């Protein structure tokens, strides 16, 4: 005989789910006790649920399989919701386990009682289930695992009442293997092929799994053969890039710029991506960013095999043998002098080793990141898929646990860092190979831009003070040290380079607080120059064409 | 002409809602811009939404009127959910404003799009509304305000789409005054009076508003006249206590102990309280803690006037002129030597000035707090109403803003402190008169008890490591300093006393990290001694009687 928790643990491990990011409470104590029954399960403790869920997200992005979470009732789920949202938007698989009161205890409406399912639906529209009996638990878990790693991946929430967990009679279940993703059908291939043969300007927008090497190579062959342009979605879940891989231009965050990028195309072919829309709605500006004159075709959906579909299209067009354009290796050179956000990106581009993982939540400070790391050695880039800030540091935790041999760089804005700063403690506890770089400009800089973009220019001092986090200025290096992470504050490029080299040579997590001016300082009240400034982050040929378009 | 945001701001201020705890994003920029239109509105920025919502909770507990929050879409609401849960369970009024995408933008399912209403229902079952037009906005807001400060108070969530906020044609609304709470009807009075006249052992359980002075005095007159025992609910929203006020014994957190407290009574009269239930369900232990032989009567509900109802009952029993027993003034004396959690509570009891506000989230370290502050000068105590940890530091922010002339002491466990540590920054920014005392025992100590209580005694090393937060040990003093709060670490009682005196004499927030052993160290694997140990925290006469009951 075994209790529910032990059977569940075995079901998870047998299905290959061998990492669990936890922030448990009383209702999860039997699950916690069962950890010692399964040597195959690694439990990683977080001091805040948003760290656990963000780590599960980052882990799955890099491991290509889900981790489990362990959260404490509705409030724990609430605390973890923002990063589960990012996972949902990135189609990342997560087996989200939320402890609950014993089934018979619910009626008493005790202090922590709340409606967990209603909260869970926000991030798990496809699978929310409260397991009702110990007998049914592992079957429920198996279905949650199947749902999570389905096509596409999703956050599947299994709610685990305490008595279902402690009850005897648990029966471990095996989980059927994942079916292979189907390739796009002939009609979709034909429509895309026709668009490309028509001779008008055509772009392929790659998202999701289409930003991994096999799909990128297929797309790059098409690009070389048909003269089409390759775009990546604005916030990739994971994009493989750097020297030796096909370079892809990302659709810009700013709707004004994204519209410009798309303005010259008559056909847009979607591969595991959706047609670009504005991040927010703005007064008098369109939400849908594809020009009216541009025809949109879906080659393959997130439920399908992106690489297989692109290869089939390449075959149909006779492009299978084409030579893809690959990014040549190039380093931007080390920066010097007073530090700026751009110089931080330059130093990273110059120093990052092969196989690095970059987690980008630098917001305005990361403006030049793409351009300055384009020719760096091959690496993976993870981004803010759902727009819910506080993703970066937890994502780095998960990525480092998924890939212990690879260096992880977390580039984080000061505002965003504070949402899940507790992640540093888990980095220290697990001795993770993460170098966090915090861009300290003492401002919610992006909101200064947004304040203007929404047309609220007349904002006064009280309004501006809501975007200003300079009183007090957070001492991130001190913060890191107090949480067990080696932290250092740098104000010059030379200090930064020294700190980065030290971090590379010394084990354990590091945090570098880069004191920088606001990237948009002085220009933030004039949006057009801001756009121009951000253009160099695009690959060069496109930049020149677009520059002509905007130049007065 | 005025836009929606400006009209909303005026509606709030005219209704007396003049503090807003904010963590805004792009969709809230017009609301932020409107701040400068209303000099009467104070906006308090938080670096994390859980701080904003917990501050709104603490503010309303002390100001007896709601503050507004300003949160950023579904993810911001998620981040703020746990402390809104605490407010909901404490029946605390909050006007919870959640920005949303422009109404026409929702269809595009942009990155931050999620189902906000479904999340909001978890904490706002009584009022969730997405305002659909600028024209209707202020009426919606007025209804939200009315709902929030209704009988009883609640979290009312108003979802504010960006275009409703920026649209022209906003019309400020006035909000009708709150109706007076009705007094219990004659049948309820009569039933309670009969129970008290029956001559059997009777207790009155006071909760909610019944723990304020007027109701406490009425209850104490009844107690003196009828020989009934007064209990307070386990986690009061706000209890007025100390020298000169009637002392009330709180129902214990541990179900085993609460059952003992209630075991001798034949009648239990509820006043703005519910019959005690166990915090969690435990294998083989009852959830409902009132003995089967005890009859429960409801004198007044949270919708009614507790003090008025108690006075009416006192009149019916001829107790109106009775002399209430009042707590005599007494200080426990200053502690000496190596620090323990008990000594911290002793130092507070000895040093706290008149009119202090104590926020208690010390969990196991606060075991002796009640006993050691019982005779201290009159003060208010706020507790963890909903069991969602991370409430204490944000509550202290709100309490300090509501009562700038009163010293606030936040007693916080190290585990719980880390959920909303960002509150320290807001304390520094707003120069709040808060002394936070962090009990650093490097453990989720309560979970070691709970692990045993749920019957998971066989827990191994991996399980235990999930409750152990000693690797690394957080440096809370360093953490405070890095967030702009004067922080100091103390390890002896003498250092603590010195630090507390310094904090009393110097303006601005302070943090004292009290390095203490686990309160339950060594005894945590034996629950009965643990119970005995916690008994002295009850008023003395009860303790003796109960001690006899448990003694072997």
């Amino acid at each position: 005989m075994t209790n529910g928790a032990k059977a569940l643990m075995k079901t998870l491990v047998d299905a290959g789910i061998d990492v669990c990011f936890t922030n448990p409470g009383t209702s999860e104590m039997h699950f916690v006790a069962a950890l010692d029954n399964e040597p195959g399960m690694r439990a990683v403790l977080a001091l805040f649920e948003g760290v656990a869920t963000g780590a599960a997200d980052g882990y799955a992005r890099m491991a290509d399989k889900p981790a489990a979470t362990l959260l404490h009732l509705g409030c724990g789920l609430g605390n973890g919701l923002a990063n589960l949202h990012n996972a949902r938007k990135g189609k990342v698989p997560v087996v989200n386990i939320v402890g609950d009161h014993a089934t018979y205890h619910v009626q008493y409406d005790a202090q922590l009682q709340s409606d967990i399912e209603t909260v869970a639906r926000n991030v798990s529209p496809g699978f929310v289930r409260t397991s009702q009996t110990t007998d049914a638990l592992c079957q429920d878990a198996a279905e949650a695992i199947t749902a999570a790693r389905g096509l596409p991946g999703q956050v599947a929430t299994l709610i685990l009442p305490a008595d279902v967990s402690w009850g005897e009679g648990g029966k471990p279940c095996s989980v059927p293997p994942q079916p292979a993703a189907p390739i796009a059908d002939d009609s979709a291939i034909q429509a895309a092929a026709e668009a490309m043969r028509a001779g008008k300007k055509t772009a392929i927008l790659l998202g999701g799994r289409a930003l991994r090497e096999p799909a990128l190579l297929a797309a790059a062959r098409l690009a070389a053969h048909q003269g089409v342009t390759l775009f990546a979605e604005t916030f990739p879940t994971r994009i493989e890039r750097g020297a030796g891989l096909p370079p892809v231009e990302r659709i810009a965050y700013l709707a004004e710029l994204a519209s410009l990028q798309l303005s010259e195309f008559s056909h847009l072919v979607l591969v595991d991506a959706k047609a670009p829309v504005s991040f927010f709605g703005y007064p008098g500006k369109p939400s849908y960013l594809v020009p009216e004159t541009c025809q949109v075709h879906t080659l393959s959906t997130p439920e399908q095999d992106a690489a297989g579909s692109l290869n089939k299209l390449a075959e149909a067009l006779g492009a299978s043998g084409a030579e893809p354009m690959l990014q040549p290796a190039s380093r931007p050179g080390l920066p010097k002098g007073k530090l700026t956000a751009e110089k931080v990106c330059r130093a990273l581009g110059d120093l990052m080793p092969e196989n690095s993982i970059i987690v980008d939540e630098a917001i305005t400070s990361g403006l030049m990141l793409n351009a300055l790391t384009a020719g760096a050695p091959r690496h993976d880039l993870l981004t803010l898929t759902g727009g819910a800030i506080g993703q970066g540091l937890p994502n780095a935790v998960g990525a480092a646990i998924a890939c212990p041999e690879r260096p992880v760089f977390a580039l984080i804005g000061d505002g965003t860092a504070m949402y899940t700063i507790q992640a540093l403690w888990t980095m220290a506890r697990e001795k993770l190979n993460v170098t966090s770089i915090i861009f300290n400009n003492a401002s919610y800089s992006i909101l200064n831009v947004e304040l203007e973009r929404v047309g609220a220019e007349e904002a006064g001092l009280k309004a501006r003070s809501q975007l200003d986090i300079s009183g007090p200025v957070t001492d991130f290096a001190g913060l890191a040290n107090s949480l067990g992470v080696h932290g250092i504050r740098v104000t010059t490029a030379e200090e930064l380079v020294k700190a980065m080299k030290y971090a590379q040579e010394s084990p354990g997590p590091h945090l570098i607080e880069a004191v920088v001016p606001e990237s948009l300082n002085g220009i933030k009240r004039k949006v057009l120059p801001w756009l121009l400034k951000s253009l160099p982050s695009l690959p060069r040929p496109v930049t020149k064409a677009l520059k002509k378009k905007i130049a007065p």
Side-chain angles (χ1 to χ4, degrees), chain A residues 162-208:
Chain A
D163 54 340
V164 171
S165 183
W166 78 53
E168 289 298 321
K171 301 181 198 112
C173 277
S174 68
V175 183
Q178 250 174 299
I183 287 173
D185 60 24
D186 292 341
S187 64
I189 301 286
Q190 210 155 351
E194 267 167 37
M196 291 191 185
R197 281 197 200 101
K200 298 212 169 143
K201 284 211 87 169
T202 299
I204 302 179
L205 177 57
L206 305 165

Short mmCIF file of all heavy atoms in Angstrom, two decimals, chain A residues 162-208:
data_model
loop_
_atom_site.label_atom_id
_atom_site.label_comp_id
_atom_site.label_asym_id
_atom_site.label_seq_id
_atom_site.Cartn_x
_atom_site.Cartn_y
_atom_site.Cartn_z
N ALA A 162 -5.54 17.66 0.38
CA ALA A 162 -4.63 17.03 1.34
C ALA A 162 -5.00 15.58 1.62
O ALA A 162 -4.13 14.71 1.72
CB ALA A 162 -4.60 17.84 2.63
N ASP A 163 -6.31 15.28 1.72
CA ASP A 163 -6.70 13.90 2.05
C ASP A 163 -6.51 12.96 0.86
O ASP A 163 -6.26 11.76 1.04
CB ASP A 163 -8.12 13.81 2.60
CG ASP A 163 -9.16 14.44 1.68
OD1 ASP A 163 -8.76 15.26 0.82
OD2 ASP A 163 -10.35 14.13 1.80
N VAL A 164 -6.62 13.49 -0.34
CA VAL A 164 -6.31 12.68 -1.52
C VAL A 164 -4.82 12.35 -1.53
O VAL A 164 -4.41 11.26 -1.91
CB VAL A 164 -6.72 13.45 -2.80
CG1 VAL A 164 -6.23 12.74 -4.05
CG2 VAL A 164 -8.24 13.65 -2.85
N SER A 165 -4.03 13.28 -1.04
CA SER A 165 -2.58 13.10 -0.97
C SER A 165 -2.20 12.11 0.13
O SER A 165 -1.35 11.24 -0.06
CB SER A 165 -1.94 14.46 -0.71
OG SER A 165 -0.55 14.40 -0.71
N TRP A 166 -2.84 12.22 1.30
CA TRP A 166 -2.42 11.35 2.40
C TRP A 166 -3.16 10.00 2.41
O TRP A 166 -2.75 9.07 3.11
CB TRP A 166 -2.51 12.06 3.74
CG TRP A 166 -3.86 12.22 4.38
CD1 TRP A 166 -4.79 11.23 4.63
CD2 TRP A 166 -4.44 13.43 4.91
NE1 TRP A 166 -5.89 11.76 5.27
CE2 TRP A 166 -5.71 13.10 5.47
CE3 TRP A 166 -4.01 14.76 4.99
CZ2 TRP A 166 -6.55 14.06 6.06
CZ3 TRP A 166 -4.84 15.70 5.59
CH2 TRP A 166 -6.09 15.35 6.10
N GLY A 167 -4.25 9.91 1.64
CA GLY A 167 -5.04 8.68 1.65
C GLY A 167 -4.23 7.49 1.14
O GLY A 167 -3.35 7.63 0.29
N GLU A 168 -4.54 6.31 1.66
CA GLU A 168 -3.86 5.09 1.21
C GLU A 168 -4.54 4.55 -0.04
O GLU A 168 -5.71 4.84 -0.30
CB GLU A 168 -3.89 4.03 2.32
CG GLU A 168 -2.99 4.35 3.51
CD GLU A 168 -1.50 4.42 3.13
OE1 GLU A 168 -1.05 3.60 2.31
OE2 GLU A 168 -0.80 5.32 3.64
N GLY A 169 -3.80 3.78 -0.80
CA GLY A 169 -4.38 3.16 -2.00
C GLY A 169 -4.01 3.87 -3.29
O GLY A 169 -4.69 3.72 -4.30
N GLY A 170 -2.92 4.63 -3.24
CA GLY A 170 -2.46 5.28 -4.47
C GLY A 170 -1.92 4.24 -5.46
O GLY A 170 -1.27 3.28 -5.07
N LYS A 171 -2.25 4.45 -6.74
CA LYS A 171 -1.79 3.53 -7.78
C LYS A 171 -1.07 4.31 -8.86
O LYS A 171 -1.70 5.00 -9.65
CB LYS A 171 -2.99 2.82 -8.42
CG LYS A 171 -3.84 2.03 -7.46
CD LYS A 171 -4.99 1.37 -8.24
CE LYS A 171 -6.10 0.94 -7.29
NZ LYS A 171 -7.34 1.72 -7.46
N PRO A 172 0.26 4.17 -8.92
CA PRO A 172 1.01 4.89 -9.95
C PRO A 172 0.49 4.54 -11.35
O PRO A 172 0.09 3.41 -11.59
CB PRO A 172 2.44 4.39 -9.76
CG PRO A 172 2.49 3.87 -8.37
CD PRO A 172 1.13 3.34 -8.07
N CYS A 173 0.48 5.50 -12.23
CA CYS A 173 0.01 5.30 -13.61
C CYS A 173 1.16 5.57 -14.56
O CYS A 173 2.04 6.39 -14.28
CB CYS A 173 -1.07 6.32 -13.95
SG CYS A 173 -2.69 5.87 -13.40
N SER A 174 1.12 4.90 -15.69
CA SER A 174 2.10 5.28 -16.72
C SER A 174 1.42 6.24 -17.69
O SER A 174 0.20 6.24 -17.86
CB SER A 174 2.63 4.04 -17.44
OG SER A 174 1.58 3.47 -18.19
N VAL A 175 2.24 7.08 -18.28
CA VAL A 175 1.73 8.13 -19.16
C VAL A 175 2.11 7.78 -20.59
O VAL A 175 3.29 7.51 -20.85
CB VAL A 175 2.32 9.50 -18.75
CG1 VAL A 175 1.76 10.61 -19.61
CG2 VAL A 175 2.07 9.77 -17.27
N PRO A 176 1.17 7.76 -21.51
CA PRO A 176 1.51 7.40 -22.89
C PRO A 176 2.50 8.39 -23.48
O PRO A 176 2.50 9.57 -23.12
CB PRO A 176 0.17 7.46 -23.63
CG PRO A 176 -0.74 8.26 -22.75
CD PRO A 176 -0.24 8.12 -21.35
N PRO A 177 3.38 7.90 -24.37
CA PRO A 177 4.36 8.83 -24.97
C PRO A 177 3.64 9.88 -25.82
O PRO A 177 2.51 9.67 -26.26
CB PRO A 177 5.22 7.91 -25.84
CG PRO A 177 4.39 6.70 -26.08
CD PRO A 177 3.48 6.54 -24.91
N GLN A 178 4.33 11.02 -25.97
CA GLN A 178 3.79 12.11 -26.77
C GLN A 178 3.68 11.70 -28.23
O GLN A 178 4.66 11.19 -28.79
CB GLN A 178 4.80 13.26 -26.72
CG GLN A 178 4.36 14.45 -25.94
CD GLN A 178 5.51 15.42 -25.86
OE1 GLN A 178 6.56 15.08 -25.31
NE2 GLN A 178 5.34 16.58 -26.41
N PRO A 179 2.57 11.94 -28.89
CA PRO A 179 2.52 11.67 -30.33
C PRO A 179 3.37 12.69 -31.08
O PRO A 179 3.58 13.80 -30.60
CB PRO A 179 1.04 11.84 -30.66
CG PRO A 179 0.49 12.75 -29.60
CD PRO A 179 1.33 12.53 -28.36
N ALA A 180 3.88 12.28 -32.22
CA ALA A 180 4.66 13.21 -33.05
C ALA A 180 3.72 14.28 -33.61
O ALA A 180 2.55 14.01 -33.90
CB ALA A 180 5.33 12.45 -34.19
N ALA A 181 4.25 15.49 -33.74
CA ALA A 181 3.44 16.58 -34.29
C ALA A 181 3.24 16.34 -35.79
O ALA A 181 4.20 15.98 -36.49
CB ALA A 181 4.14 17.90 -34.04
N PRO A 182 2.03 16.53 -36.29
CA PRO A 182 1.80 16.34 -37.73
C PRO A 182 2.38 17.49 -38.55
O PRO A 182 2.56 18.61 -38.06
CB PRO A 182 0.27 16.34 -37.83
CG PRO A 182 -0.20 17.14 -36.66
CD PRO A 182 0.82 16.93 -35.57
N ILE A 183 2.68 17.17 -39.79
CA ILE A 183 3.20 18.18 -40.73
C ILE A 183 2.01 18.86 -41.41
O ILE A 183 0.93 18.28 -41.54
CB ILE A 183 4.14 17.48 -41.73
CG1 ILE A 183 5.45 17.13 -40.99
CG2 ILE A 183 4.42 18.33 -42.96
CD1 ILE A 183 6.42 16.31 -41.80
N ALA A 184 2.20 20.09 -41.80
CA ALA A 184 1.13 20.86 -42.47
C ALA A 184 0.57 20.09 -43.65
O ALA A 184 1.31 19.38 -44.34
CB ALA A 184 1.68 22.21 -42.92
N ASP A 185 -0.74 20.21 -43.89
CA ASP A 185 -1.33 19.46 -45.01
C ASP A 185 -1.05 20.15 -46.34
O ASP A 185 -0.58 21.29 -46.40
CB ASP A 185 -2.81 19.19 -44.77
CG ASP A 185 -3.60 20.47 -44.63
OD1 ASP A 185 -3.16 21.51 -45.16
OD2 ASP A 185 -4.66 20.43 -43.99
N ASP A 186 -1.36 19.42 -47.41
CA ASP A 186 -0.97 19.87 -48.74
C ASP A 186 -1.54 21.23 -49.11
O ASP A 186 -0.89 22.03 -49.77
CB ASP A 186 -1.41 18.82 -49.78
CG ASP A 186 -0.59 17.54 -49.63
OD1 ASP A 186 0.49 17.60 -49.00
OD2 ASP A 186 -1.05 16.49 -50.13
N SER A 187 -2.78 21.49 -48.66
CA SER A 187 -3.39 22.77 -49.06
C SER A 187 -2.63 23.95 -48.46
O SER A 187 -2.44 24.98 -49.11
CB SER A 187 -4.86 22.80 -48.66
OG SER A 187 -4.98 22.75 -47.25
N ALA A 188 -2.18 23.78 -47.21
CA ALA A 188 -1.42 24.87 -46.58
C ALA A 188 -0.08 25.05 -47.28
O ALA A 188 0.38 26.19 -47.49
CB ALA A 188 -1.22 24.57 -45.10
N ILE A 189 0.56 23.93 -47.61
CA ILE A 189 1.84 24.00 -48.32
C ILE A 189 1.66 24.71 -49.66
O ILE A 189 2.43 25.62 -50.03
CB ILE A 189 2.40 22.57 -48.57
CG1 ILE A 189 2.61 21.82 -47.23
CG2 ILE A 189 3.69 22.61 -49.40
CD1 ILE A 189 3.79 22.25 -46.41
N GLN A 190 0.60 24.31 -50.35
CA GLN A 190 0.36 24.87 -51.68
C GLN A 190 0.09 26.38 -51.64
O GLN A 190 0.62 27.15 -52.45
CB GLN A 190 -0.84 24.16 -52.30
CG GLN A 190 -0.74 24.10 -53.80
CD GLN A 190 -1.55 22.92 -54.35
OE1 GLN A 190 -2.03 22.09 -53.58
NE2 GLN A 190 -1.68 22.86 -55.66
N ALA A 191 -0.73 26.78 -50.65
CA ALA A 191 -1.05 28.21 -50.54
C ALA A 191 0.22 29.02 -50.28
O ALA A 191 0.42 30.08 -50.89
CB ALA A 191 -2.06 28.41 -49.42
N ALA A 192 1.07 28.51 -49.37
CA ALA A 192 2.31 29.23 -49.08
C ALA A 192 3.23 29.23 -50.30
O ALA A 192 3.86 30.26 -50.62
CB ALA A 192 3.01 28.59 -47.89
N ALA A 193 3.29 28.09 -50.99
CA ALA A 193 4.15 28.00 -52.17
C ALA A 193 3.69 28.97 -53.26
O ALA A 193 4.51 29.67 -53.88
CB ALA A 193 4.16 26.57 -52.69
N GLU A 194 2.40 29.05 -53.44
CA GLU A 194 1.86 29.97 -54.45
C GLU A 194 2.20 31.41 -54.11
O GLU A 194 2.59 32.20 -54.98
CB GLU A 194 0.34 29.82 -54.55
CG GLU A 194 -0.06 28.83 -55.64
CD GLU A 194 -1.52 28.42 -55.55
OE1 GLU A 194 -2.36 29.28 -55.20
OE2 GLU A 194 -1.80 27.23 -55.80
N ALA A 195 2.04 31.75 -52.82
CA ALA A 195 2.37 33.12 -52.40
C ALA A 195 3.83 33.42 -52.72
O ALA A 195 4.16 34.50 -53.21
CB ALA A 195 2.10 33.28 -50.91
N MET A 196 4.68 32.47 -52.47
CA MET A 196 6.11 32.71 -52.69
C MET A 196 6.47 32.73 -54.16
O MET A 196 7.41 33.43 -54.56
CB MET A 196 6.93 31.64 -51.96
CG MET A 196 6.83 31.83 -50.47
SD MET A 196 7.98 30.82 -49.57
CE MET A 196 7.46 31.20 -47.91
N ARG A 197 5.72 31.99 -54.95
CA ARG A 197 6.00 31.99 -56.39
C ARG A 197 5.46 33.24 -57.08
O ARG A 197 5.87 33.55 -58.19
CB ARG A 197 5.32 30.75 -57.04
CG ARG A 197 6.10 29.45 -56.85
CD ARG A 197 5.61 28.41 -57.84
NE ARG A 197 5.96 27.05 -57.41
CZ ARG A 197 5.09 26.21 -56.82
NH1 ARG A 197 3.83 26.57 -56.61
NH2 ARG A 197 5.50 25.02 -56.47
N ALA A 198 4.54 33.93 -56.41
CA ALA A 198 3.86 35.06 -57.06
C ALA A 198 4.80 36.22 -57.36
O ALA A 198 4.46 37.14 -58.11
CB ALA A 198 2.70 35.53 -56.20
N GLY A 199 5.97 36.21 -56.72
CA GLY A 199 6.94 37.24 -57.06
C GLY A 199 6.77 38.55 -56.32
O GLY A 199 7.54 39.48 -56.48
N LYS A 200 5.77 38.62 -55.45
CA LYS A 200 5.62 39.84 -54.65
C LYS A 200 6.44 39.70 -53.38
O LYS A 200 6.83 38.60 -52.99
CB LYS A 200 4.15 40.06 -54.32
CG LYS A 200 3.29 40.25 -55.58
CD LYS A 200 2.13 41.18 -55.31
CE LYS A 200 1.46 41.56 -56.62
NZ LYS A 200 0.00 41.65 -56.46
N LYS A 201 6.64 40.82 -52.70
CA LYS A 201 7.46 40.77 -51.48
C LYS A 201 6.76 39.92 -50.42
O LYS A 201 5.60 40.16 -50.07
CB LYS A 201 7.72 42.17 -50.94
CG LYS A 201 8.76 42.91 -51.77
CD LYS A 201 9.58 43.89 -50.94
CE LYS A 201 10.79 43.19 -50.32
NZ LYS A 201 11.75 44.13 -49.73
N THR A 202 7.47 38.94 -49.93
CA THR A 202 6.89 37.97 -49.01
C THR A 202 7.79 37.83 -47.78
O THR A 202 9.02 37.90 -47.89
CB THR A 202 6.76 36.59 -49.71
OG1 THR A 202 5.88 36.75 -50.82
CG2 THR A 202 6.20 35.53 -48.77
N ALA A 203 7.16 37.66 -46.66
CA ALA A 203 7.91 37.41 -45.42
C ALA A 203 7.37 36.16 -44.74
O ALA A 203 6.20 35.82 -44.89
CB ALA A 203 7.79 38.60 -44.47
N ILE A 204 8.26 35.48 -44.06
CA ILE A 204 7.85 34.35 -43.22
C ILE A 204 8.01 34.79 -41.77
O ILE A 204 9.08 35.28 -41.38
CB ILE A 204 8.73 33.11 -43.47
CG1 ILE A 204 8.68 32.70 -44.94
CG2 ILE A 204 8.28 31.95 -42.58
CD1 ILE A 204 9.55 31.47 -45.27
N LEU A 205 6.94 34.65 -40.99
CA LEU A 205 7.03 34.98 -39.57
C LEU A 205 7.13 33.69 -38.77
O LEU A 205 6.23 32.86 -38.76
CB LEU A 205 5.80 35.78 -39.13
CG LEU A 205 5.73 36.13 -37.64
CD1 LEU A 205 6.96 36.91 -37.18
CD2 LEU A 205 4.47 36.92 -37.32
N LEU A 206 8.27 33.54 -38.10
CA LEU A 206 8.55 32.32 -37.35
C LEU A 206 8.29 32.54 -35.86
O LEU A 206 8.69 33.56 -35.30
CB LEU A 206 10.02 31.91 -37.54
CG LEU A 206 10.48 31.73 -38.99
CD1 LEU A 206 12.00 31.69 -39.06
CD2 LEU A 206 9.88 30.47 -39.60
N GLY A 207 7.62 31.60 -35.24
CA GLY A 207 7.39 31.69 -33.79
C GLY A 207 7.57 30.32 -33.18
O GLY A 207 7.86 29.34 -33.87
N GLY A 208 7.40 30.26 -31.87
CA GLY A 208 7.39 28.98 -31.16
C GLY A 208 8.56 28.09 -31.54
O GLY A 208 9.73 28.49 -31.49
#
